[in-house]
Amino acid sequence: MRTIKLLSTLVFFTATIILQSNGFSQTYGQNGMVVSDNTAASKIGTAILKKGGNAIDAAVATAFALAVTHPQAGNIGGGGFLVFMDASGKATTIDFREKAPLLSSSTMFLDSTGALINGSNHQGLKSVGVPGTVAGLYLSHQKYGSLPWKDLVQPAIDLAENGVVLSWTLAAHAQQIKSGSGPKFLKNYYNNSNGEVAKFGELWVQKELANTLKLIRDHGKDGFYKGEVAKEIAAFMKANGGIITLEDLNKYEALEREAIKGTYKEYEIFAMPPPSSGGVAVIEMLNIMEQANLDSIKFNSTEYVHLLAETMRRAFADRAEHLGDPDFNLDMPLNKLTSKDFAKMRYENIDLNTASVSDSSKFGQIYDGKSTTHFSIIDKNGNAVSLTFTLEQSYGSGIGSPDLGFIFNNEMGDFNPQPGYTNSGWLIGTNPNIIQPEKRMLSSMSPTIVAKNGKPYLIIGSPGGRTIINTVFQTILNVIEYDMPIDKAIEGMKIHHQWMPDRLVFENDLMSPDTQRVLEQMGHVLQGRGNLGRLMGILCPSESNVYIGASDSSSPDGGAIGY
Ligand code: DON
């Protein structure tokens, strides 16, 4: 309620206003908003909105800008997902997930005894999936953009050519690379104009990347998947032990897929279908929570955390068992997994006083990080974009062609690497996500749009590997059930459970020792850690025409820019 009152007094302002509430910050805009992991990229997206571009135009420009300013995750060598809801309430998605190369196989990361060669699925050029980002942005623009393509790529070219001012974060990365860890293959990566490693505040120019972007500006998708860029990718792969060929690049297509839909009370949820597991899992978990009476369950109480953990445990078991690339798994029970009846069954089997035990003969992987990036956008007409993209790990494979100036992903690591072998640690061997040529690897990225009365209400997403699903799920509950302003919802206590390993992961500073003790008595195995998620969200309260944005305080360079 407090938020609404604040809003009514602010409705006349058209400039961006940043307010501190709860120690965090919210940004207000009346005509549009971009929230991303990098303030310079958010500014570029907002400038496109001001020029009359729609949310898709701004998304294309923001994504290309992030490929320059946030190279640990923003990319043209990786892939991702875009959820779009237009002002009339129609939602759709664009899948630009990487694909396994034609020369890949289900045993490519195994030794002669059939065991996984430790780390091999994340290392070297064989870990690179056929990139999808340029195709995805191009398809989004072809279908739903309004400004000329070249106007959306140009700001990123300008940034790469004129130089990015190195933030503390990037300066620290530059030092790591100098000291031998990090990407070694990009000639002069993070060098300043004197050829030394750039320091905080210095300009970092990326000439080769600018040239690659110019070809994309001038030739669209073909500028990447055909012609000289594609030829150089294929030649670089061949010369250095990679398996991606010109044919892989020529064949790559981004796909428009129907959004996966659910409801939570009076809200509609539009999210990413497989090959992301995010939408199915978020909707399944919201459905399970709908069975409980949250009015009588306090936020952050033992009861609440237990219910969340048990809900997550079940959804992640279902994820491991059933989900993979829909083009290779034609019989995934998506309707069942997202149905209210199924959620009722799952809820009824939760013991409200005792932790279940995850079956160690099945399922599990714990992995997260901050090396994916999410942004949320809304334009003046109410069109909304929720986009998450990634190189998989920070700086992906760490390898790139010096002539092209960008880094390849290591997304092959998201496949189940050892067919048939699931253990209680991190390996899953279930069938739907086994490597096959041209298959897309299962993802946890969960760009989501929650709608109310047919209009976008909450645009949200996060990096964090499998924790993405759970942090997005909890942020939605924080807003809808616990009436939190967007910044508080983003920063509020989060937990993570993913079936196997059987651990309840919590944020050290945000759960009281008493709650921890009770949860342990209930049978949970607790694991404390730093913060979960790096959420970028926009709330669009129906009572006003003001958009409220917030970028997670864990994003050092992130920013919400409204106007
Ligand atoms: O698609 C996925 O689920 C992962 N490749 C995302 C990786 C990730 O989020 C890493 N760090 N934040």
Side-chain angles (χ1 to χ4, degrees):
M1 281 324 291
R2 203 167 54 82
T3 323
I4 305 304
K5 271 186 219 141
L6 263 179
L7 279 177
S8 56
T9 60
L10 282 166
V11 94
F12 300 107
F13 292 83
T14 52
T16 297
I17 298 159
I18 299 181
L19 285 188
Q20 299 291 325
S21 69
N22 316 296
F24 312 123
S25 76
Q26 302 189 146
T27 299
Y28 292 75
Q30 237 188 334
N31 295 298
M33 172 87 64
V34 180
V35 189
S36 86
D37 246 322
N38 184 274
T39 305
S42 298
K43 276 187 187 150
I44 283 174
T46 310
I48 294 293
L49 294 179
K50 283 184 184 166
K51 258 173 85 173
N54 64 22
I56 290 282
D57 296 322
V60 171
T62 305
F64 279 119
L66 285 165
V68 181
T69 60
H70 191 73
Q72 59 270 50
N75 68 79
I76 55 174
F81 302 110
L82 179 152
V83 178
F84 175 51
M85 185 173 190
D86 72 18
S88 74
K90 216 175 121 268
T92 188
T93 76
I94 304 289
D95 165 1
F96 52 101
R97 183 67 161 165
E98 298 93 326
K99 287 172 71 168
L102 289 159
L103 291 173
S104 62
S105 76
S106 63
T107 53
M108 65 189 279
F109 297 118
L110 307 183
D111 65 17
S112 56
T113 70
L116 175 67
I117 303 167
N118 206 9
S120 62
N121 55 339
H122 271 119
Q123 283 162 15
L125 282 177
K126 291 204 174 62
S127 71
V128 183
V130 183
T133 296
V134 175
L137 298 177
Y138 194 68
L139 180 65
S140 307
H141 177 259
Q142 290 263 300
K143 292 221 154 181
Y144 302 108
S146 67
L147 294 183
W149 168 256
K150 63 176 176 30
D151 294 359
L152 310 176
V153 189
Q154 190 60 44
I157 297 172
D158 295 341
L159 271 175
E161 220 155 32
N162 301 333
V164 170
V165 180
L166 232 61
S167 65
W168 283 112
T169 313
L170 294 191
H173 292 182
Q175 281 306 318
Q176 278 166 13
I177 289 162
K178 186 185 174 195
S179 69
S181 52
K184 303 177 192 71
F185 291 77
L186 288 179
K187 187 178 61 179
N188 304 333
Y189 211 65
Y190 281 134
N191 275 7
N192 64 18
S193 55
N194 301 327
E196 296 153 350
V197 177
K199 297 193 182 60
F200 168 73
E202 287 185 342
L203 273 183
W204 172 41
V205 174
Q206 300 174 73
K207 262 211 187 81
E208 292 81 6
L209 179 57
N211 291 338
T212 302
L213 289 170
K214 281 178 192 169
L215 290 165
I216 294 167
R217 173 196 65 194
D218 297 342
H219 304 286
K221 180 192 168 205
D222 288 352
F224 187 89
Y225 295 92
K226 296 192 172 147
E228 55 185 279
V229 172
K231 278 193 202 137
E232 172 53 25
I233 295 174
F236 183 81
M237 289 282 164
K238 197 166 176 195
N240 295 287
I243 57 173
I244 293 179
T245 61
L246 206 50
E247 191 184 356
D248 280 310
L249 294 160
N250 290 176
K251 279 184 95 168
Y252 185 88
E253 296 284 349
L255 299 169
E256 181 163 22
R257 296 189 192 273
E258 202 180 317
I260 195 139
K261 299 183 190 80
T263 59
Y264 183 82
K265 301 192 173 169
E266 74 266 37
Y267 299 88
E268 285 177 289
I269 317 293
F270 297 96
M272 205 58 222
S276 180
S277 57
V280 174
V282 166
I283 289 170
E284 179 181 340
M285 293 194 293
L286 287 170
N287 283 340
I288 295 174
M289 293 304 278
E290 210 178 34
Q291 297 290 320
N293 180 9
L294 290 186
D295 289 345
S296 64
I297 301 181
K298 266 177 60 185
F299 178 72
N300 213 352
S301 62
T302 311
E303 201 179 353
Y304 181 61
V305 174
H306 172 69
L307 189 56
L308 284 179
E310 293 304 318
T311 298
M312 292 168 182
R313 185 198 302 276
R314 283 155 180 76
F316 272 78
D318 292 331
R319 169 195 191 276
E321 188 171 355
H322 297 293
L323 301 184
D325 183 340
D327 299 335
F328 287 74
N329 296 280
L330 302 179
D331 52 358
M332 285 187 291
L334 301 185
N335 289 336
K336 177 177 149 192
L337 292 175
T338 56
S339 73
K340 301 285 181 195
D341 284 348
F342 184 72
K344 190 163 186 291
M345 190 181 85
R346 283 278 178 267
Y347 176 72
E348 280 168 357
N349 139 289
I350 294 175
D351 180 332
L352 294 177
N353 298 307
T354 313
S356 313
V357 177
S358 298
D359 180 347
S360 62
S361 69
K362 289 182 190 166
F363 316 142
Q365 178 164 330
I366 191 152
Y367 170 70
D368 78 343
K370 298 283 157 55
S371 1
T372 293
T373 187
H374 175 84
F375 60 79
S376 295
I377 296 184
I378 191 153
D379 66 26
K380 65 176 185 304
N381 295 318
N383 302 298
V385 167
S386 188
L387 188 152
T388 314
F389 69 149
T390 189
L391 290 166
E392 162 56 359
Q393 292 176 324
S394 189
Y395 295 95
S397 65
I399 308 174
S401 157
D403 294 339
L404 300 176
F406 69 88
I407 300 169
F408 296 121
N409 67 81
N410 59 350
E411 215 77 58
M412 291 294 284
D414 274 359
F415 278 115
N416 296 350
Q418 196 171 340
Y421 183 66
T422 301
N423 66 13
S424 59
W426 64 274
L427 277 172
I428 300 179
T430 48
N431 242 350
N433 192 35
I434 294 299
I435 303 173
Q436 283 179 265
E438 295 206 83
K439 198 191 239 184
R440 287 158 146 91
M441 54 295 280
L442 184 65
S443 172
S444 298
M445 289 187 278
S446 311
T448 302
I449 298 177
V450 178
K452 191 177 176 187
N453 302 324
K455 292 194 181 327
Y457 177 69
L458 173 66
I459 312 159
I460 193 77
S462 177
R466 287 173 194 217
T467 69
I468 295 173
I469 299 172
N470 287 331
T471 57
V472 166
F473 159 60
Q474 289 168 92
T475 306
I476 295 172
L477 285 177
N478 288 353
V479 169
I480 295 181
E481 279 295 347
Y482 293 101
D483 214 14
M484 293 184 199
I486 183 70
D487 55 347
K488 194 171 174 211
I490 283 173
E491 308 286 345
M493 191 280 301
K494 308 269 180 331
I495 65 148
H496 174 69
H497 198 299
Q498 56 170 44
W499 178 254
M500 291 300 299
D502 192 347
R503 280 181 228 152
L504 193 166
V505 179
F506 67 99
E507 294 173 310
N508 276 323
D509 299 341
L510 298 179
M511 189 187 282
S512 78
D514 283 347
T515 304
Q516 293 174 37
R517 271 192 288 276
V518 177
L519 288 165
E520 272 168 352
Q521 278 163 22
M522 293 169 91
H524 291 285
V525 181
L526 295 194
Q527 183 185 327
R529 53 161 284 165
N531 88 294
L532 283 158
R534 180 178 284 178
L535 295 129
M536 301 286 148
I538 301 176
L539 190 68
C540 320
S542 6
E543 300 81 359
S544 72
N545 59 351
V546 172
Y547 305 133
I548 313 170
S551 87
D552 202 313
S553 62
S554 69
S555 175
D557 300 337
I561 307 282
Y563 80 106

